[in-house]
Amino acid sequence: MVLGRAFEDKCAKMYYDRKMLGFVHLYNGQEAVSTGFIRLLKQQDSIVCTYRDHVQALSKGVSARAVMSELLGKATGCSRGQGGSMHIFSRKHNMLGRFAFIGEGIPIATGAAFTSKYKREVLKEADCGHVSLAFFGDGTCNNGQFYECLNMAALWKLPIVFVVENNLWAIGMSHLRATSVPQIYKKGPAFGMPGVHVDGMDVLKVREVAKEAIGRARRGEGPTLVECETYRFRGHSLADPDKLRDPAEKAHYAARDPITALKKYLIENSLANEADLKAIDKR
Amino acid sequence: MLAIARQRMLGQSFKKILPAVSVLRSYSSAAKQITVREALNSALDEEMSADPKVFLMGEEVGEYQGAYKITKGLLEKYGPERVLDTPITEAGFTGIGVGAAYYGLKPVVEFMTFNFSMQAIDHIINSAAKSNYMSAGQISVPIVFRGPNGAAAGVGAQHSQCYAAWYASCPGLKVLSPYNSEDARGLLKAAIRDPDPVVFLENELLYGESFPVSDEVLDSSFCLPIGKAKIEREGKDVTITAFSKMVGYALKAAEMLEKDGIYAEVINLRSIRPLDRSTINTSVRKTNRLITVEEGFPQHGVGAEICASVVEESFSYLDAPVERIAGADVPMPYAANLERMAVPQVEDIVRAAKRACYRSVPLAATA
């Protein structure tokens, strides 16, 4: 989480120094979701995200250097500079990419889950309990492809977890203004899968829910829809003036910063002390 | 002058030799006739049999035996795990197919007609076509999108569009369009074996047509190269390029033109992307005149690209402006007489060829 936050802050600095171009979407504030889920995965499990996911790549194991090089358009980047900020791919880490169009990644992740099942049942390959995770936001939950895939994943019992990072805002469109039934987790049971809501600012709570959902998928019990209530501290992208969000709302979530919260937890429960944490920050 | 005389003599002697050769050929390989439908079905069957990673998905491909019966019998043979009947969700199932292809499976996604592919076009272009480049080669997408394309009979504007030009303009895609049974078999097999996304444009009205095929074509290892056009009929006066159903029309036009002493060379493009510019230009350098024929809308069409290619590479060989015959610049009308006017007819091709050869022709009924 700390690496993610530091990375994103560095991106912001480079963007404002005009060293980085194009669209850059930062993840500050949402680190708990990424860490909570992805750290439970094996290398062969795959993730698909949208454009806001430098940190998902880092969590999955892609080196920070490769991601930063890609953002700077260098040939040493993970896609040799051909993809850019919105299109981080890594075959080795089974990070199937980040898709610029919201909703685009969901069928792809569903396809990866389909392949896992196909390899096990049709090709009879051993060791195929691979799971797929699709990360997307609240805005995506109003998109047709989301529903098409909830249906097919449940219909064919695919090993996938749909992770909604509900940060309440789709650029400047408030989730409440855009959605008839804002409780996204309720949409899972409508398609025959469990829908779970979790506090996305608390990494330990996220991890618990993630464990259960990933376990379900691995056991062949089918998909789960997990709604993580979270918040992004910065604007939609570095070009977003972010005028529509109420400062009080921002302050409320800033007080629930996942990194500060975990630090507090670790110290209170004597799992680590100040010195250990300072050492992590330094790295 | 002498060159022309020599050409004519060669042409005549060629014609004398040909009949003998074809008689010999038919004795040794007893030319069988199969429909385009049978050709596609057998190609799918053989490729599924050879590679367990190949699977089919689409609406009605399984229990219904295929909306146009192209996938007949395959569900019974390979089971529901390899022949998937999907819900009506083109965007969703196309994306799922692309995701499966990312992981090395080989989906063959059927669109009931390519008009419905517009619901999924984002996945065809952004997830399939561009991924190999965006990931710097890490991800390859061995997927085939197939189905009927272009006009049928009286199905109206939303069911009659030709998508060749749109898909062929996109880097990262291969776009094929068969005419006869040999094309259908060879090109579909090549598409399934290809590691890149292929858009395979069939034609509903050709499904039931029979064509002779040799034993070589019927062999399960048969495959045609992608990116190579075929000269269906040799000629020396004017080149006519076409693909899919229009190849048949061009061949009929060539027969009619021959009676008037014009020998047309008919090129079956087979591959719209990559386009076989070499074959086209070589032909134009021989005949000095070019007619392009397509069913789709004229603006930014396949013919426009071929014309540009010829102007770029063979301008000084052209003796007449390039003529493009295309569908009318109007959404496809429903009424049969209007539909006939909105799609190229054999007479249109004949008239254009004569114009290119400086013959006087009556004005067409439609502009």
Side-chain angles (χ1 to χ4, degrees), chain B residues 172-193:
Chain B
L173 280 183
K174 293 180 182 164
V175 180
L176 304 177
S177 193
Y179 160 57
N180 57 20
S181 304
E182 177 180 327
D183 289 354
R185 263 183 69 80
L187 293 176
L188 186 54
K189 278 164 166 291
I192 295 173
R193 295 178 198 178

Side-chain angles (χ1 to χ4, degrees), chain B residues 137-151:
Chain B
Q138 293 176 72
I139 308 253
S140 90
V141 193
I143 191 169
V144 176
F145 304 104
R146 54 155 291 271
N149 174 59

Side-chain angles (χ1 to χ4, degrees), chain B residues 246-273:
Chain B
M246 292 291 120
V247 176
Y249 281 29
L251 287 171
K252 287 203 187 93
E255 272 175 38
M256 290 170 65
L257 287 165
E258 193 183 29
K259 297 197 183 82
D260 286 326
I262 299 178
Y263 296 92
E265 178 148 291
V266 176
I267 300 182
N268 172 3
L269 293 175
R270 283 182 167 175
S271 181
I272 317 293
R273 184 178 179 105

Side-chain angles (χ1 to χ4, degrees), chain B residues 37-65:
Chain B
R37 178 179 285 118
E38 286 163 344
L40 294 168
N41 184 275
S42 60
L44 288 169
D45 192 352
E46 287 162 21
E47 293 304 300
M48 287 181 79
S49 171
D51 186 348
K53 297 201 286 296
V54 178
F55 70 96
L56 308 182
M57 59 195 301
E59 295 155 14
E60 311 292 19
V61 296
E63 290 190 12
Y64 196 80
Q65 308 295 318

Side-chain angles (χ1 to χ4, degrees), chain B residues 147-268:
Chain B
N149 174 59
V155 290
Q158 292 185 349
H159 286 75
S160 305
Q161 192 165 332
C162 173
Y163 291 86
W166 283 16
Y167 286 126
S169 73
C170 189
L173 280 183
K174 293 180 182 164
V175 180
L176 304 177
S177 193
Y179 160 57
N180 57 20
S181 304
E182 177 180 327
D183 289 354
R185 263 183 69 80
L187 293 176
L188 186 54
K189 278 164 166 291
I192 295 173
R193 295 178 198 178
D194 196 279
D196 293 322
V198 180
V199 169
F200 194 82
L201 304 171
E202 301 159 7
N203 185 291
E204 193 210 316
L205 300 174
L206 286 176
Y207 284 153
E209 275 197 42
S210 283
F211 295 91
V213 284
S214 66
D215 280 348
E216 191 201 337
V217 172
L218 292 171
D219 187 76
S220 64
S221 65
F222 178 67
C223 197
L224 284 173
I226 292 180
K228 268 318 275 148
K230 182 179 181 207
I231 299 186
E232 294 284 347
R233 182 187 174 114
E234 285 191 19
K236 59 177 181 61
D237 293 319
V238 60
T239 300
I240 305 179
T241 63
F243 60 95
S244 187
K245 186 145 170 294
M246 292 291 120
V247 176
Y249 281 29
L251 287 171
K252 287 203 187 93
E255 272 175 38
M256 290 170 65
L257 287 165
E258 193 183 29
K259 297 197 183 82
D260 286 326
I262 299 178
Y263 296 92
E265 178 148 291
V266 176
I267 300 182
N268 172 3

